Amino acid sequence: GTPMSDRLAQQLDFIVQMDALKQVFRQTLLIGDRRAENDAEHSWHLALMAIILREHAAHDVDITRVLSMHLIHDLVEIHAGDTFAYDEAAHEDKEAREQAAADRIFALLPEDQERDMRALWDEFEERVTPEARYAAALDRLQPLLLNYHTDGAAWKKHDVRHAQVIERNSHIAEGAPTLWEFARQLIDTALTEGKLAG
């Protein structure tokens, strides 16, 4: 057979190395057996949400770009680790850790793909385009859903309060106003049901 091209070899090496994402665990628990969710499961769930909830995006979006952002945005956590949304101390150097990790991860790809994937990653981080804002809105909504349906397990474990959850998730409104209306109600319901502290 024909020898594998260097380009294909590089792409396959990237794919194999990205299997490590399945070993990066989040604070969010799964609804079924309450084990910690991993980043790959999170990314899949976001991609599914992006397709199903597309009509709720604030603007018409290029769904392929949204899905690409969802599938690559957490790859940096293979090196940087998952930073819990409500861990203030860890957030101080989160950006520096993730930028360095992005340099390492995307450098594994052929140059053109490195450039494209890094640009998408940066776009997601900057939350300026309709695609990035919609993608980021879902990235916030997904753990909210899981936290609510696990009786607030992650919130309780970390002593997270209602006002923090509102503040942390308010930018859902930028990407999907109707989803923020839903999220606000869900957060308030969680408070009244004792799943979230006041």
Side-chain angles (χ1 to χ4, degrees):
T2 52
M4 183 163 64
S5 72
D6 289 346
R7 181 179 176 84
L8 178 57
Q10 213 175 340
Q11 291 167 327
L12 292 173
D13 178 56
F14 176 81
I15 287 165
V16 169
Q17 290 201 45
M18 293 309 102
D19 183 65
L21 194 68
K22 300 169 189 174
Q23 305 295 337
V24 179
F25 291 95
R26 298 167 52 81
Q27 291 296 332
T28 319
L29 302 185
L30 300 188
I31 294 168
D33 60 2
R34 302 280 178 105
R35 72 163 168 81
E37 177 188 42
N38 72 47
D39 264 349
E41 292 168 328
H42 172 68
S43 301
W44 161 80
H45 219 166
L46 291 179
L48 181 66
M49 289 171 71
I51 293 165
I52 302 299
L53 299 175
R54 183 180 180 179
E55 70 204 61
H56 303 289
H59 302 280
D60 194 33
V61 292
D62 176 345
I63 199 70
T64 307
R65 281 193 28 240
V66 174
L67 293 172
S68 299
M69 284 182 212
H70 281 157
L71 294 174
I72 67 161
H73 88 278
D74 278 340
L75 295 178
V76 298
E77 296 186 359
I78 290 171
H79 296 312
D82 177 59
T83 305
F84 184 51
Y86 301 96
D87 183 342
E88 297 305 323
H91 270 272
E92 288 173 17
D93 68 339
K94 176 179 190 268
E95 190 177 349
R97 279 187 288 118
E98 292 192 346
Q99 290 285 346
D103 292 343
R104 272 178 76 183
I105 294 276
F106 298 121
L108 297 169
L109 287 163
E111 274 183 37
D112 59 314
Q113 290 187 317
E114 176 186 4
R115 204 169 45 243
D116 292 347
M117 294 297 110
R118 180 57 189 259
L120 273 170
W121 187 81
D122 289 336
E123 182 180 339
F124 178 87
E125 290 293 302
E126 288 157 9
R127 282 205 334 254
V128 173
T129 64
E131 284 79 10
R133 287 179 169 183
Y134 176 55
L138 299 179
D139 188 42
R140 287 280 182 270
L141 180 60
Q142 190 263 358
L144 273 181
L145 289 172
L146 268 58
N147 284 335
Y148 179 81
H149 288 285
T150 52
D151 300 316
W155 290 327
K156 288 174 181 171
K157 179 182 171 187
H158 297 277
D159 195 31
V160 175
R161 310 202 160 256
H162 179 268
Q164 287 172 279
V165 181
I166 292 288
E167 185 194 358
R168 182 79 191 141
N169 293 286
S170 60
H171 75 69
I172 291 173
E174 293 176 358
T178 51
L179 296 182
W180 175 234
E181 282 174 40
F182 163 77
R184 275 217 64 140
Q185 289 170 357
L186 190 73
I187 295 164
D188 289 347
T189 303
L191 178 67
T192 57
E193 291 175 351
K195 297 176 179 181
L196 179 60

